[in-house]
């Protein structure tokens, strides 16, 4: 099968990594994969050399020029399936499908959990889809409640996954050495964009309530905005724990670095459809503390594979952290349980097989 993916954003995030990982593993199974994206440095510079990738301007969701160029690529590459990952590409993809001479299916994956009704004028475009994929049941439920006109038979729920990671302890920096963290001090790690919506300030406030216990928190990820690190440091200074919080910055080796964690934290205050960060900790056998307002509840079980707390609740977050900081045996138990669940339900092999089933399903 010849498959064309469109990277959805202008910055690198979870959805972009999702597309790249998916494409790599489809190629490993013998499929031919190519990619389109905006011509922007944050995307282009992150892509590995040799990737079958090209750019289009994508001026808007009704950019006929980009749709026409896409149709040309469908024909020149004999594309069988066009996979888009944001609704803003829907009209372009449907026009490209109609203008192309080579028959092509269009699949749309929805990576957000939001109730948004489709304008009746654009329903025809959705009806041209081969399938819609939702990355969690929450995402599907919210969207379908507002769009009951769309056939439920064309909707598939496929939870996100992450590929296996090779252990690279010798190839990545030791966080305890870099930040002078004593070996007997529990290491907490946050991964992802360091921003307000991820609950970073709430996390620092919660840690202030357990300052009687030893801990050190490392943020791994780029701050947005760039000066957000200063704001977080100021909050930490106010509570007298600034020396116990460090900022690593962006890293391409996140999944190797988190193997050094004792506890993973992902206290997002927004409703995320199916965040990857909690899965990354589960995959490496680390206990996770995350929020209960998104798709996390579909793969994290309370006090079985981690802790689920209400968003913005400093009290609940601090209580969960206190239990894990005080009880190494509990950390081990939850980490082992999370790893077992990941291996039983969330492996990339499960994920790929479900994606391919969508691609080859009858319309």
């Amino acid at each position: 099968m010849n498959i064309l993916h469109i990277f959805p954003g202008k910055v690198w995030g979870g959805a972009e990594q999702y597309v790249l990982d998916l494409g790599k593993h489809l190629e490993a199974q013998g499929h031919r994969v190519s990619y389109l994206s905006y011509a922007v440095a944050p995307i282009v510079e992150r892509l590995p050399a040799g990737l079958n990738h090209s750019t289009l301007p994508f001026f808007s969701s009704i950019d006929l020029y980009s749709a026409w160029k896409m149709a040309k690529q469908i024909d020149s590459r004999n594309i069988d399936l066009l996979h888009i990952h944001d609704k803003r590409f829907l009209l372009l993809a449907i026009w490209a499908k109609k203008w192309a001479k080579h028959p092509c299916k269009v699949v749309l994956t929805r990576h957000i959990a939001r109730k948004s009704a489709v304008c009746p004028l654009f329903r025809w475009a959705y009806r041209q889809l081969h399938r819609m994929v939702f990355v969690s049941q929450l995402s599907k439920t919210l969207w379908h409640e507002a769009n009951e006109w769309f056939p439920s038979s064309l909707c598939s729920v496929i939870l996100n996954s992450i590929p296996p990671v090779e252990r690279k302890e010798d190839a990545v920096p030791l966080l305890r050495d870099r930040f002078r963290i004593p070996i007997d001090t529990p290491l907490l790690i946050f991964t992802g964009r360091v921003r307000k919506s991820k609950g970073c300030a709430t996390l620092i406030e919660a840690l202030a309530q357990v300052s009687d216990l030893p801990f050190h928190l490392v943020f791994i990820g780029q701050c947005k905005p760039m000066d957000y690190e200063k704001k977080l440091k100021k909050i930490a200074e106010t509570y007298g724990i600034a020396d116990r919080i460090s900022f690593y910055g962006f890293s391409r080796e996140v999944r190797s670095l988190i193997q050094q964690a004792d506890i993973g934290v992902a206290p997002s205050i927004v409703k995320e459809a199916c965040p990857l960060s909690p899965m990354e900790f589960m995959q490496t056998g680390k206990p996770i503390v995350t929020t209960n307002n998104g798709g996390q509840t579909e793969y994290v079980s309370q006090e079985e594979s981690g802790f689920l707390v209400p968003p913005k609740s400093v009290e609940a977050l601090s209580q969960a952290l206190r239990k894990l900081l005080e009880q190494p045996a509990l950390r081990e138990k939850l980490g082992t349980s999370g790893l077992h669940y990941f291996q039983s339900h969330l492996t990339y092999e499960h994920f790929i097989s479900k994606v391919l089933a969508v691609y080859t399903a009858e319309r």
Side-chain angles (χ1 to χ4, degrees), residues 55-218:
T55 63
L56 285 175
F58 296 124
F59 294 119
S60 71
S61 60
I62 54 172
D63 175 10
L64 297 182
Y65 171 77
S66 291
W68 174 73
K69 293 290 288 184
M70 201 185 306
K72 292 293 185 183
Q73 293 202 25
I74 290 173
D75 286 336
S76 63
R77 300 179 183 180
N78 295 319
I79 298 299
D80 302 306
L81 186 137
L82 173 57
H83 195 157
I84 59 177
H85 300 267
D86 193 290
K87 67 177 183 178
R88 77 175 74 113
F89 300 102
L90 177 61
L91 292 178
L92 307 184
I94 298 304
W95 284 332
K97 171 187 174 181
K98 290 183 175 297
W99 293 341
K101 298 176 182 178
H102 186 79
C104 177
K105 303 173 183 177
V106 179
V107 170
L108 166 63
T109 291
R110 186 169 173 84
H111 293 268
I112 58 177
R114 190 179 304 152
K115 187 178 288 189
S116 53
V118 173
C119 172
L121 293 175
F122 298 116
R123 290 182 181 179
W124 67 271
Y126 280 83
R127 291 191 175 102
Q128 309 304 309
L129 288 169
H130 176 66
R131 283 287 191 282
M132 277 191 72
V133 174
F134 298 84
V135 298
S136 64
Q137 184 61 46
L138 172 67
S139 177
K140 176 183 181 294
T141 298
L142 290 175
W143 189 84
H144 207 257
E145 283 177 353
N147 299 280
E148 294 182 352
W149 54 270
F150 190 80
S152 183
S153 60
L154 299 182
C155 297
S156 299
V157 174
I158 305 177
L159 290 180
N160 287 342
S161 182
I162 49 177
V165 58
E166 296 181 4
R167 294 191 172 273
K168 298 180 178 179
E169 287 92 340
D170 296 334
V172 296
L174 294 177
L175 297 175
R176 290 186 182 276
D177 289 347
R178 177 166 177 170
F179 298 113
R180 299 180 180 178
I181 306 169
I183 192 65
D184 58 347
T185 296
L187 173 58
L188 287 72
I189 293 182
F190 167 99
T191 64
R193 294 182 194 171
V194 182
R195 59 192 305 178
K196 181 179 179 180
S197 63
K198 295 294 185 178
C200 298
T202 303
L203 176 56
I204 293 176
E205 292 172 7
L207 286 172
Q209 294 196 6
V210 295
S211 60
D212 56 305
L213 300 173
F215 70 81
H216 197 102
L217 168 67
V218 176

Side-chain angles (χ1 to χ4, degrees), residues 20 40 57 60 79 84 126 157 205 215 238 254 325 327 330 337:
L20 184 60
V40 292
S60 71
I79 298 299
I84 59 177
Y126 280 83
V157 174
E205 292 172 7
F215 70 81
T238 300
V254 170
L325 289 170
Q327 302 179 53
L330 179 61
S337 177

Side-chain angles (χ1 to χ4, degrees), residues 6 22 55 101 149 171 174 180 239 243 246 318 323 337 339 358:
I6 302 180
L22 175 55
T55 63
K101 298 176 182 178
W149 54 270
L174 294 177
R180 299 180 180 178
Y239 289 109
D243 60 335
S246 302
S318 67
K323 288 181 179 180
S337 177
L339 174 60
V358 166

Side-chain angles (χ1 to χ4, degrees), residues 17 43 66 78 93 103 141 164 192 196 219 231 242 248 252 263 283 292 314 318 326 336:
Q17 188 64 51
I43 300 298
S66 291
N78 295 319
T141 298
K196 181 179 179 180
F219 285 101
K231 295 180 180 179
Y248 186 92
R252 297 179 185 272
I263 302 169
Q283 184 192 48
N292 62 5
V314 172
S318 67
E326 290 181 334
T336 300

Side-chain angles (χ1 to χ4, degrees), residues 18-67:
Y18 172 104
V19 172
L20 184 60
D21 289 339
L22 175 55
K24 286 181 177 179
H25 283 76
L26 289 170
E27 287 183 324
Q29 294 203 7
H31 302 282
R32 295 177 61 188
V33 182
S34 51
Y35 307 84
L36 283 171
S37 76
Y38 289 100
V40 292
I43 300 298
V44 176
E45 293 176 357
R46 284 293 305 273
L47 300 178
L51 201 71
N52 190 358
H53 167 256
S54 55
T55 63
L56 285 175
F58 296 124
F59 294 119
S60 71
S61 60
I62 54 172
D63 175 10
L64 297 182
Y65 171 77
S66 291

